[in-house]
């Protein structure tokens, strides 16, 4: 069947991608996802491994196209606390979602300002990282995968950053 992720990857140019929900997104090559964790401890370990941190590490800052985002290992555990959601399978996509993001939008969730980092992948998935301002710094707050075709409704709010099309990069 028709796979817009594969189509966009073949053209490697989002503006010419046929599906309007892909407009401005450039799907990155997706590696095979690991199996879901068999326990909450394993999910935690997979998350921390994907972030490249240990639970007792001090918060670290990662440079993104819109400035630094703080990764606090203890706060990040929130991402996998709902064990049945299997978000740990996508842990190795958290840093690329922040550092090689396709789009960043400012959204308000329950009255709180968040930055939503959106990254498209060639396997038909998208990943979203949410940051919240904590002690004056943008901090990773949540992360979840979704189907690429669900991204359109998540592309709300003020556009803060969009990755330049191929060939337009400095």
């Amino acid at each position: 069947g028709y796979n817009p992720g594969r189509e966009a990857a073949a053209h490697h140019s989002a503006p010419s991608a046929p599906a309007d929900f892909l407009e401005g997104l450039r799907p990155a090559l997706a590696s095979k996802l690991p199996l879901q964790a068999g326990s909450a401890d394993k999910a935690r370990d997979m998350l921390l491994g994907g972030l490249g941190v240990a639970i007792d590490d001090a918060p670290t800052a990662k440079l993104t196209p819109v400035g630094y985002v703080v990764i606090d290992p203890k706060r990040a555990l929130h991402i996998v606390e709902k064990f049945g959601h299997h978000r740990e399978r996508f842990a190795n996509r958290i840093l690329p979602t922040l550092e090689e993001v396709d789009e960043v939008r400012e959204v308000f969730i329950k009255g709180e300002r968040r930055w939503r980092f959106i990254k498209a992948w060639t396997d038909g998935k998208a990943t979203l990282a949410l940051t919240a301002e904590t002690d004056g710094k943008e901090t990773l707050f949540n992360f979840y995968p979704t189907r690429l075709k669900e991204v359109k409704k998540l592309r709300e709010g003020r556009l803060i950053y969009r990755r330049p099309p191929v060939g337009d990069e400095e």
Side-chain angles (χ1 to χ4, degrees), residues 4 24-25 28 35 63 72 103 106-107 116 135 142 156 168:
L25 301 181
L35 295 174
L63 184 59
D72 181 334
E103 200 169 272
E106 180 183 56
V107 296
R116 182 179 285 151
D135 300 325
N142 209 343
E156 63 197 18
D168 288 359

Side-chain angles (χ1 to χ4, degrees), residues 4 8 42 45 47 54 57 80 88 93 126 138 142 149 169:
K42 178 75 171 133
D45 292 346
L47 171 72
D57 286 356
V80 294
E88 71 278 2
R93 296 187 185 183
E138 285 303 316
N142 209 343
K149 57 183 158 191
E169 290 152 288

Side-chain angles (χ1 to χ4, degrees), residues 9-124:
H11 292 299
H12 205 70
S13 174
S16 64
D20 65 346
F21 62 83
L22 274 177
E23 183 184 347
L25 301 181
R26 289 170 31 197
L29 187 61
S31 57
K32 189 170 175 4
L33 291 169
L35 295 174
Q36 63 203 41
S39 69
D41 285 344
K42 178 75 171 133
R44 187 191 84 157
D45 292 346
M46 288 170 72
L47 171 72
L48 295 172
L51 292 171
V53 298
I55 190 61
D56 294 323
D57 286 356
T60 57
K62 298 292 182 185
L63 184 59
T64 76
V66 292
Y68 285 94
V69 169
V70 173
I71 309 279
D72 181 334
K74 289 179 180 69
R75 283 182 191 267
L77 293 180
H78 167 74
I79 293 167
V80 294
E81 71 184 12
K82 292 182 182 149
F83 176 59
H85 290 186
H86 308 301
R87 292 179 184 176
E88 71 278 2
R89 296 183 64 213
F90 294 85
N92 62 351
R93 296 187 185 183
I94 297 174
L95 294 181
T97 298
L98 293 169
E99 297 170 342
E100 302 157 27
V101 64
D102 288 320
E103 200 169 272
V104 180
R105 295 195 168 259
E106 180 183 56
V107 296
F108 288 84
I109 300 170
K110 297 179 186 164
E112 301 279 327
R113 184 195 57 76
R114 302 278 188 257
W115 282 0
R116 182 179 285 151
F117 289 70
I118 301 172
K119 178 86 181 149
W121 300 89
T122 55
D123 62 358

